[in-house]
Amino acid sequence: MSVNKLSIASIKSIPAAFGEVDIIKSITLLPGVSSGGEGATGFNVRGGAADQNLILLDEAIIFNSGHLLGFFSVFNPDAIKNIHLYKGGIPSKYGGRAAAVLNIHQKDGNSNKFSAQGGIGLISSRLLIEGPLEEQKGSFLLSGRSSYVHLFLPLAGVDNSIAYFYDLNTKFTYKVNENNNIYISGYFGRDVFDIDNLFDVRYGNSVANFRWNHLFSKKLFSNLSLIYSNYDYTLDFGLANFDWNLGINNFNLKYDFKHYLKNKLSLEYGLNSIYYKFDPGLINPTNETSGIQTKKLTDKFAFENALYGSVKFQLNPKINVQVGARFSSFLRLGQEFNEYKNDNPLIYYSDLKIYESAKAIKTIDYDIEEVIKSFYNLEPRISISYQLRSDQSVKMSYNRMVQYLHLISNTNSPTPIDVWAPSGRFIEPQLLDQFALGYFKDFKNSSYSLEIEGFYKDIQNRLDYIDGAELIANNAIEQVLLNGHARAKGIEVLMKKSKGKLTGWIAYTLSKSEQKTLGRTPEEVGINNGDWYLTPHDKTHDLSITTSYQISEKWALNTNLIYQTGQPITYPNAQYEFSGFSIPNYASRNSSRLPAYHRFDISAVYSPQKENKSFASGQWVFGIYNLYNRQNAASIRFQNNSDTGLNEAVRLSIFGIIPSITYNFKF
Amino acid sequence: MKKTLFVLIGVFIFSSCEAPIEVEVDDSEPLLVIEAQINWIKETRKTEQKVVLSISSSYFSNTFKPAIGAEVNIVDGDENRYVFSETIESPGHYIPLDTIPYVLNQELHLNITYKDQKYTGSENLIPVSTIDSVKQKSVFFFKKERTQFNAYCMDPKNERNFTFFEFKGEPLEALECKVYSDDFSDGFIYDGFIFGKNIKVNDEIRFRQYGLSKRGYHYWKLLIEQNIQGSGGGAFQIPVNLNGNIKNLSPSNAYPLGYFRASEVSELYYLVK
């Protein structure tokens, strides 16, 4: 239960903005999954934040899933085999995040013959080549994608600026013998922006995985993986004459076993060890006139280890059970640490109702070998399925998950320059407890299926930020943080038709996602007066209707209808004149909403039949995104109009109607 | 600010557009707004001392409501009391009967009684570095010429310094402000800069730098950021209210808005070349 699988074929049939097939945007059409809006990086699962999703590409952790600031995802659809999204009942082999797991597998190369495929679109073009290695014992796959949208910027009156992305995917497989297989895969992606030499940013993920798959016997399989993953970025502020380089690296060892003991009884167990280096950056002047002096922010190091096991068995012919646990630990290693009076990095002034950072009384430089703070957690997981009839079942699950890394961000949706912070002396790990209950039914020989699931989740230690917290280049982030609490609940309905000329699904979610940060003592107000407030990713109603209709052998028609309650935001409830400015005074946090988000997309796919002797085949995709040109609000700003002197609300909408055309080929 | 740039990038790349829309906002209880400033200009030894009291209003209203008939005074560290009186020509504007003297780092206590509520706030008269020089140069933004003016100062070493730059003059479209902290420039030369367009030779720009406390720095920084960014969704920061350094002593939840700033000011008038 709580698992969604999408084949790359069905993802490719979903109409997309600019015709750019997008894995992340397509999973937001599933129940319980939403996005922060057009141009927002990542996705939200069951009221969770984007940083609470574990995104794995061939087992490697992806820290930023967005290209061009989240308008597109970093996953090239040509190179992807399939995706699994775990929203609940998460298997014990996964851990480290407090909402969901998105597991993306790259395709294996074709081990029988050389072939190529690709596509030419409005934003980017793609090319993939694959083929056998050493007499079909192995295969390779190389895939590249690059955007060229910046070439059109001068037409839009934007000169001296670039904005593009590219990525490379690669995979090698090699069958050593019947019992041993080797897989090597890699990904490298970059985004590059330069606005008139004033502001230049480059960022991207790089990952590599070496995997050894071994069969001890017909009943015992193992997978040993050595994984490296990195996310880094460089900012160059031409205006202020300084640049800043930072990143997060990790080395990951996984050893997983799958053991079939007897019919309907199997075990999965293994271990996982990740070493992290967080490099918050080096700030450098770029010329002699810069007022900035070189400053290195303190590197942070941590070890995250886990042992896990689970057993799957049949209690009786109607009841199947999977029960397991993950024992995780997080060891924060030595670095330079601040010491504070009374161990308190954040002082509260009750008379003014404000938090202010405390001054460190001294700093202590610990050796990297020393463990400064350690956390140990047991994460039980259980899923039970009860077969009511052959076509009906009821399922329930409980899972605890622990998240030791936190994305430091106080914007409504994450940006590429947000940094990750490890748990430590002042930051507790996030603890999720999630319960889910579902009813599943197939109709008409599995042509139709209905899934209804309810969930409740509770997250301890969700970070929140004091008013005016400075998060950028902050070397003592503990001085602006408070530990809060989050909770979410909802009902998801998925009605699917998977056979026939017309296929598709209707997904509806009714949910609520809130958080609360109390003061640490009765005198403190906490955040938002210690009251519950809606998270920026709360969506009361979320409806998606996705259809695909095969008109003929050559033509298919795909549509998408989306309706979502507007994102919670904070409106002003007063204004005042102060020092020449008109200042808004705000109501309680996230107590208003953007207008509802909705749109209708359509695409037609024309696949001329491959001639018998033809070497290649092609496909045209004609799309219209946001057919009725709804001006959906990505944000609303409140400002004083300098011409009229009056206050006004200004809506920013990103994508209006967008026609697109893409040509895909294969040979 | 950096995040605003990301929004701008999005606007540049795609067909995004901004348009005013009508939204309904709630109205809060009116709150007292206190703008209290004691400025001593180090170059001229002139002073500006005033307290402006007003009442917050509905967000889309277009009225400034002065708070009239308040009792205002400032008490210094030597218990000298400086009583303020409301001016006849500008209701809600209060000025001292005797000048508060130029004593750096002296603590000043502001006391206000308005409609039976007592408000108080404290600030030290914070010293500031001198604006040593101003340089101007031409820069191009998307092929459009602008003139950049940099005001240079020297940061005192081994002490935390926070300041507030204010730029005013014909060539600038509006009053512009910037805050500075010496996080990355302790003991070195630093600058505050501004861009002007359509400037003419002999146009005059007034550069000012005010000394700020750490609390003042955070207050003004947030004020400027939110004033530029506005609020919203997407990559915008979740907006927050500005809590100043003035409290309500009466048993009430009606916290005052505004700030009591006491600053030494460095001032330089620059003639455009």
Side-chain angles (χ1 to χ4, degrees):
Chain A
M1 72 180 302
S2 305
V3 181
N4 293 110
K5 295 173 197 169
L6 276 181
S7 69
I8 202 68
S10 60
I11 291 172
K12 283 183 171 178
S13 72
I14 296 169
F18 300 100
E20 291 291 314
V21 174
D22 192 317
I23 285 171
I24 298 290
K25 296 280 188 290
S26 58
I27 62 169
T28 63
L29 302 172
L30 297 167
V33 190
S34 63
S35 88
E38 289 158 344
T41 302
F43 57 100
N44 304 102
V45 178
R46 292 186 168 173
D51 71 300
Q52 291 173 329
N53 300 321
L54 179 66
I55 303 176
L56 300 173
L57 178 67
D58 274 354
E59 303 182 294
I61 301 169
I62 298 294
F63 285 96
N64 181 356
S65 61
H67 271 317
L68 292 183
L69 314 171
F71 289 104
F72 307 105
S73 83
V74 298
F75 307 107
N76 177 350
D78 286 349
I80 304 300
K81 181 162 62 182
N82 58 29
I83 64 167
H84 287 75
L85 176 70
Y86 299 90
K87 299 182 292 190
I90 293 170
S92 58
K93 68 191 284 190
Y94 300 112
R97 294 292 185 278
V101 178
L102 177 63
N103 199 4
I104 301 173
H105 294 106
Q106 294 198 120
K107 251 172 51 170
D108 294 343
N110 188 332
S111 58
N112 295 316
K113 59 168 190 167
F114 284 94
S115 65
Q117 61 172 299
I120 299 164
L122 289 182
I123 298 285
S124 73
S125 285
R126 299 162 271 122
L127 180 66
L128 176 147
I129 53 171
E130 56 186 328
L133 287 174
E134 209 190 307
E135 295 168 349
Q136 303 188 348
K137 282 185 94 174
S139 70
F140 75 94
L141 179 148
L142 291 170
S143 171
R145 179 172 63 155
S146 178
S147 77
Y148 32 73
V149 62
H150 61 289
L151 300 178
F152 305 113
L153 288 176
L155 299 178
V158 181
D159 295 311
N160 298 339
S161 297
I162 53 173
Y164 65 89
F165 69 81
Y166 61 89
D167 44 33
L168 297 165
N169 295 70
T170 156
K171 190 158 184 180
F172 294 91
T173 64
Y174 189 74
K175 189 172 189 170
V176 180
N177 56 36
E178 279 302 306
N179 295 330
N180 292 288
N181 286 286
I182 303 282
Y183 302 87
I184 300 171
S185 54
Y187 166 84
F188 181 79
R190 280 295 108 165
D191 277 69
V192 179
F193 298 93
D194 186 352
I195 297 188
D196 205 18
N197 297 323
L198 303 173
F199 177 67
D200 180 296
V201 57
R202 289 149 202 263
Y203 62 87
N205 299 283
S206 326
V207 307
N209 180 5
F210 172 86
R211 184 157 67 96
W212 170 47
N213 176 254
H214 176 65
L215 276 68
F216 287 97
S217 70
K218 281 185 176 173
K219 293 192 166 180
L220 179 61
F221 305 89
S222 74
N223 254 315
L224 175 68
S225 301
L226 294 169
I227 309 152
Y228 168 76
S229 128
N230 164 274
Y231 176 69
D232 63 83
Y233 66 87
T234 303
L235 293 166
D236 187 342
F237 288 88
L239 264 181
N241 302 314
F242 73 93
D243 66 17
W244 183 25
N245 308 293
L246 62 163
I248 173 170
N249 281 309
N250 69 82
F251 295 92
N252 188 343
L253 168 79
K254 285 176 83 174
Y255 204 7
D256 298 332
F257 294 85
K258 206 165 197 178
H259 206 153
Y260 295 95
L261 292 175
K262 56 182 182 182
N263 192 24
K264 312 278 185 189
L265 177 63
S266 64
L267 298 176
E268 278 191 57
Y269 48 89
L271 59 88
N272 184 198
S273 184
I274 309 174
Y275 173 76
Y276 294 102
K277 180 186 175 192
F278 303 84
D279 176 4
L282 176 69
I283 295 168
N284 248 329
T286 47
N287 63 36
E288 287 167 0
T289 62
S290 175
I292 301 286
Q293 302 304 307
T294 300
K295 185 164 181 174
K296 175 76 184 87
L297 302 173
T298 311
D299 289 344
K300 302 175 180 69
F301 306 91
F303 249 122
E304 183 174 348
N305 301 301
L307 283 171
Y308 77 86
S310 77
V311 53
K312 208 174 189 176
F313 59 95
Q314 194 173 60
L315 201 61
N316 65 40
K318 291 197 162 205
I319 301 178
N320 283 292
V321 178
Q322 182 165 13
V323 59
R326 183 180 179 90
F327 178 68
S328 62
S329 73
F330 192 78
L331 311 175
R332 184 71 186 273
L333 306 178
Q335 61 168 86
E336 195 178 79
F337 277 107
N338 285 340
E339 296 281 327
Y340 299 94
K341 192 179 169 189
N342 302 325
D343 229 13
N344 181 13
L346 187 59
I347 298 171
Y348 181 70
Y349 294 90
S350 56
D351 52 353
L352 297 171
K353 290 191 174 183
I354 54 176
Y355 287 95
E356 282 185 4
S357 52
K359 198 172 174 184
I361 46 177
K362 61 179 173 183
T363 55
I364 300 179
D365 201 357
Y366 294 93
D367 285 339
I368 193 172
E369 293 81 20
E370 283 185 76
V371 175
I372 305 305
K373 177 79 183 175
S374 52
F375 301 95
Y376 299 93
N377 283 289
L378 185 66
E379 307 172 33
R381 320 272 172 94
I382 183 165
S383 299
I384 301 169
S385 143
Y386 180 76
Q387 202 75 29
L388 293 169
R389 283 178 19 191
S390 63
D391 59 352
Q392 277 181 57
S393 60
V394 174
K395 298 177 185 176
M396 62 192 84
S397 70
Y398 162 75
N399 62 280
R400 165 165 277 214
M401 304 268 283
V402 183
Q403 178 165 349
Y404 296 103
L405 309 188
H406 313 260
L407 186 68
I408 302 299
S409 172
N410 59 353
T411 49
N412 282 289
S413 60
T415 70
I417 62 164
D418 293 328
V419 296
W420 290 81
S423 296
R425 291 172 60 201
F426 300 105
I427 304 178
E428 295 286 322
Q430 300 177 51
L431 302 178
L432 161 82
D433 289 294
Q434 179 177 208
F435 302 87
L437 176 68
Y439 170 77
F440 301 79
K441 181 165 170 55
D442 284 341
F443 302 89
K444 294 191 175 177
N445 282 334
S446 300
S447 289
Y448 295 87
S449 63
L450 173 68
E451 300 177 12
I452 302 171
E453 279 194 52
F455 67 87
Y456 177 81
K457 57 206 246 186
D458 179 275
I459 297 168
Q460 297 171 52
N461 304 325
R462 178 71 186 157
L463 290 182
D464 214 332
Y465 307 90
I466 62 167
D467 289 354
E470 179 55 81
L471 305 184
I472 298 193
N474 188 336
N475 212 19
I477 202 74
E478 66 273 11
Q479 295 178 348
V480 296
L481 298 178
L482 286 168
N483 274 323
H485 200 129
R487 66 184 181 192
K489 58 187 173 185
I491 294 172
E492 301 163 356
V493 180
L494 178 64
M495 182 84 194
K496 216 169 178 175
K497 182 175 184 297
S498 40
K499 291 181 184 171
K501 280 188 166 184
L502 177 70
T503 56
W505 68 82
I506 300 171
Y508 171 71
T509 310
L510 173 70
S511 66
K512 188 167 192 177
S513 166
E514 300 169 287
Q515 74 184 84
K516 174 168 89 167
T517 304
L518 293 169
R520 298 162 298 179
T521 62
E523 290 77 41
E524 290 188 16
V525 291
I527 307 293
N528 196 45
N529 283 320
D531 296 331
W532 285 103
Y533 65 91
L534 296 173
T535 64
H537 29 274
D538 174 78
K539 298 262 163 77
T540 309
H541 304 285
D542 185 353
L543 173 73
S544 311
I545 302 175
T546 304
T547 66
S548 180
Y549 183 64
Q550 194 70 40
I551 302 169
S552 67
E553 277 189 17
K554 291 183 181 176
W555 283 97
L557 188 68
N558 306 307
T559 65
N560 240 354
L561 177 68
I562 290 165
Y563 175 90
Q564 289 172 356
T565 308
Q567 186 185 30
I569 65 163
T570 310
Y571 275 7
N573 63 2
Q575 64 149 336
Y576 55 100
E577 295 283 323
F578 181 81
S579 211
F581 296 100
S582 168
I583 312 279
N585 204 49
Y586 292 97
S588 61
R589 185 174 285 197
N590 286 347
S591 56
S592 302
R593 286 185 186 273
L594 294 177
Y597 178 99
H598 53 87
R599 59 165 219 268
F600 181 68
D601 315 326
I602 187 163
S603 74
V605 182
Y606 175 61
S607 313
Q609 277 169 309
K610 194 174 168 181
E611 298 295 328
N612 284 342
K613 289 180 184 174
S614 167
F615 169 63
S617 64
Q619 181 189 63
W620 291 93
V621 183
F622 308 93
I624 304 176
Y625 178 92
N626 194 359
L627 184 69
Y628 54 83
N629 197 25
R630 161 86 174 166
Q631 296 294 303
N632 282 305
S635 67
I636 291 179
R637 288 192 298 122
F638 290 88
Q639 65 177 21
N640 187 260
N641 185 314
S642 56
D643 294 332
T644 63
L646 298 175
N647 286 339
E648 62 183 6
V650 179
R651 178 193 63 203
L652 173 71
S653 39
I654 295 177
F655 292 150
I657 182 170
I658 304 173
S660 66
I661 180 166
T662 307
Y663 179 71
N664 297 318
F665 56 85
K666 205 169 190 176
F667 51 84
Chain B
M1 184 59 191
K2 289 155 204 160
K3 295 188 177 171
T4 311
L5 283 167
F6 275 91
V7 175
L8 288 175
I9 293 172
V11 173
F12 282 137
I13 303 170
F14 301 106
S15 56
S16 51
C17 63
E18 286 201 314
I21 58 165
E22 281 198 14
V23 299
E24 279 186 23
V25 296
D26 295 333
D27 285 340
S28 72
E29 289 292 309
L31 295 168
L32 180 65
V33 183
I34 301 166
E35 180 185 345
Q37 287 185 23
I38 305 300
N39 298 325
W40 270 104
I41 298 158
K42 63 197 292 187
E43 287 83 5
T44 59
R45 300 190 76 80
K46 285 186 179 165
T47 187
E48 295 161 347
Q49 307 191 350
K50 66 170 180 181
V51 173
V52 181
L53 300 182
S54 61
I55 306 294
S56 68
S57 55
S58 170
Y59 184 73
F60 290 115
S61 77
N62 187 25
T63 51
F64 175 77
K65 297 179 195 163
I68 54 174
E71 288 175 26
V72 179
N73 67 67
I74 285 179
V75 178
D76 69 14
D78 298 327
E79 297 293 319
N80 298 312
R81 180 176 298 268
Y82 300 90
V83 175
F84 283 60
S85 73
E86 192 171 3
T87 62
I88 295 164
E89 62 276 15
S90 303
H93 287 236
Y94 299 79
I95 54 171
L97 302 175
D98 299 305
T99 302
I100 299 165
Y102 191 179
V103 183
L104 289 176
N105 295 309
Q106 167 158 252
E107 191 170 3
L108 300 170
H109 302 275
L110 169 72
N111 303 296
I112 295 166
T113 305
Y114 178 71
K115 290 195 171 170
D116 300 329
Q117 304 274 307
K118 287 184 186 300
Y119 304 89
T120 182
S122 300
E123 189 62 288
N124 292 4
L125 188 73
I126 310 283
V128 74
S129 296
T130 305
I131 299 176
D132 294 319
S133 62
V134 171
K135 286 183 183 163
Q136 79 174 68
K137 65 176 178 187
S138 283
V139 290
F140 289 87
F141 297 148
F142 305 111
K143 293 185 178 168
K144 288 176 185 147
E145 187 176 9
R146 295 283 183 275
T147 308
Q148 181 177 347
F149 301 94
N150 293 60
Y152 291 95
C153 316
M154 174 61 81
D155 184 74
K157 194 160 179 61
N158 294 329
E159 57 181 72
R160 294 293 279 130
N161 297 105
F162 305 96
T163 73
F164 171 75
F165 281 100
E166 186 186 84
F167 312 89
K168 200 174 180 180
E170 273 300 308
L172 311 177
E173 286 181 346
L175 178 73
E176 297 211 36
C177 307
K178 282 194 169 68
V179 285
Y180 159 79
S181 88
D182 62 356
D183 284 343
F184 301 105
S185 51
D186 184 36
F188 287 89
I189 292 172
Y190 65 95
D191 63 342
F193 60 88
I194 193 77
F195 300 99
K197 68 174 180 183
N198 303 327
I199 59 155
K200 297 187 289 292
V201 174
N202 289 336
D203 274 347
E204 191 175 65
I205 304 175
R206 190 188 77 183
F207 290 82
R208 272 190 172 191
Q209 184 181 210
Y210 298 77
L212 284 183
S213 60
K214 181 181 163 191
R215 182 173 290 164
Y217 168 79
H218 286 289
Y219 180 88
W220 290 91
K221 181 170 182 289
L222 196 54
L223 184 154
I224 293 166
E225 279 181 1
Q226 291 200 161
N227 198 56
I228 295 167
Q229 292 196 347
S231 69
F236 290 111
Q237 285 184 16
I238 296 169
V240 295
N241 288 328
L242 299 166
N243 282 341
N245 58 351
I246 306 167
K247 58 197 171 192
N248 185 349
L249 290 176
S250 312
S252 160
N253 281 328
Y255 269 72
L257 303 168
Y259 202 86
F260 171 34
R261 190 180 72 199
S263 303
E264 185 183 37
V265 181
S266 176
E267 183 180 79
L268 189 151
Y269 283 89
Y270 180 79
L271 281 181
V272 173
K273 292 171 185 160

